[in-house]
Amino acid sequence: MQLILERCKTAREAIKWLGDNVAEYGARTDNYILADPNEVWLYEEYQDYHWAAVRLPDDCFLVEANSFRIGEINPEDTENCMCDPDLIPFAIKHGFYDPNSGEPFNASQVYGTNERNRPRGPIDENNQPYYSLHRIWRGISLLNKDLNLDPYEPTKVYPLFVRPSKPLTPEDLINVLKDYYAGTELDEYGAA
């Protein structure tokens, strides 16, 4: 992030700089939320030399928690999407995506999985798909009280961009960061 701050003036410029570095050195399989006064972008790196980024709509928020979140992307929509030029051709070539299926290209389905996330518990128990997903569910639930999302969503997909139920304040964001599932069935410190 320090290199980005030293070299880039806008979030869009930072995405391009990151993409150029991935093209030269390869990906770390990481993600970042990059913002400037005019735009916010979600950037994700996949294996090898692949990456994608999508622009957050001005009236929405997103919750990111150590998992791939970018779903459908359209590389031709350069106002709202950027990606490496081989992202979709590579997926087609290796049988990860069939453009004749009628389905749009979905980056997180092709390059990621929610079956393996950061472990919770013993280090060898990595098959915990809801570890990061619960954090996403809870963040969305706290910032949009009108949505009634299932903490154990069977598809393991939550909306990427969500409109808040009211204008957000710094206190709302702090409440997300300090939340421990209080009052839910996931609260480890007290009964739901």
Side-chain angles (χ1 to χ4, degrees):
M1 296 311 312
Q2 180 177 345
L3 294 174
I4 290 171
L5 291 171
E6 292 173 351
R7 290 165 173 76
C8 304
K9 293 182 180 176
T10 67
R12 188 177 292 265
E13 187 179 335
I15 299 294
K16 291 177 182 172
W17 186 84
L18 283 164
D20 289 345
N21 278 275
V22 168
E24 186 170 348
Y25 303 109
R28 288 180 25 163
T29 63
D30 214 341
N31 51 43
Y32 305 103
I33 297 173
L34 301 151
D36 63 38
N38 299 311
E39 296 182 314
V40 178
W41 286 78
L42 171 61
Y43 169 88
E44 294 180 347
E45 290 178 359
Y46 310 110
Q47 294 291 329
D48 298 322
Y49 297 88
H50 303 294
W51 63 274
V54 292
R55 184 176 180 264
L56 179 72
D58 292 339
D59 62 343
C60 293
F61 67 87
L62 72 89
V63 178
E64 171 52 37
N66 300 90
S67 63
F68 293 127
R69 300 272 290 135
I70 297 176
E72 295 179 17
I73 61 169
N74 177 3
E76 294 176 16
D77 179 7
T78 57
E79 245 341 271
N80 299 299
C81 175
M82 290 187 268
C83 64
D84 75 85
D86 195 38
L87 186 75
I88 297 174
F90 180 89
I92 293 169
K93 178 181 176 183
H94 294 282
F96 304 140
Y97 172 64
D98 179 5
N100 299 318
S101 69
E103 296 291 323
F105 181 79
N106 185 305
S108 67
Q109 288 178 355
V110 169
Y111 286 103
T113 176
N114 283 328
E115 292 303 317
R116 290 180 60 82
N117 275 296
R118 187 174 150 197
R120 184 177 194 176
I123 197 69
D124 60 344
E125 293 182 9
N126 289 324
N127 190 16
Q128 297 191 24
Y130 289 102
Y131 178 78
S132 291
L133 292 173
H134 279 147
R135 293 165 48 211
I136 294 165
W137 160 79
R138 184 62 170 164
I140 293 172
S141 297
L142 289 170
L143 298 176
N144 184 318
K145 307 278 188 203
D146 301 328
L147 291 177
N148 188 18
L149 301 176
D150 181 350
Y152 292 96
E153 170 58 44
T155 66
K156 299 183 181 89
V157 177
Y158 293 107
L160 180 58
F161 304 130
V162 179
R163 285 182 181 83
S165 53
K166 66 176 187 65
L168 298 179
T169 66
E171 183 179 54
D172 293 324
L173 303 178
I174 290 168
N175 286 336
V176 171
L177 295 174
K178 69 179 187 178
D179 183 71
Y180 57 92
Y181 307 117
T184 75
E185 62 187 83
L186 303 174
D187 185 349
E188 296 179 359
Y189 301 100

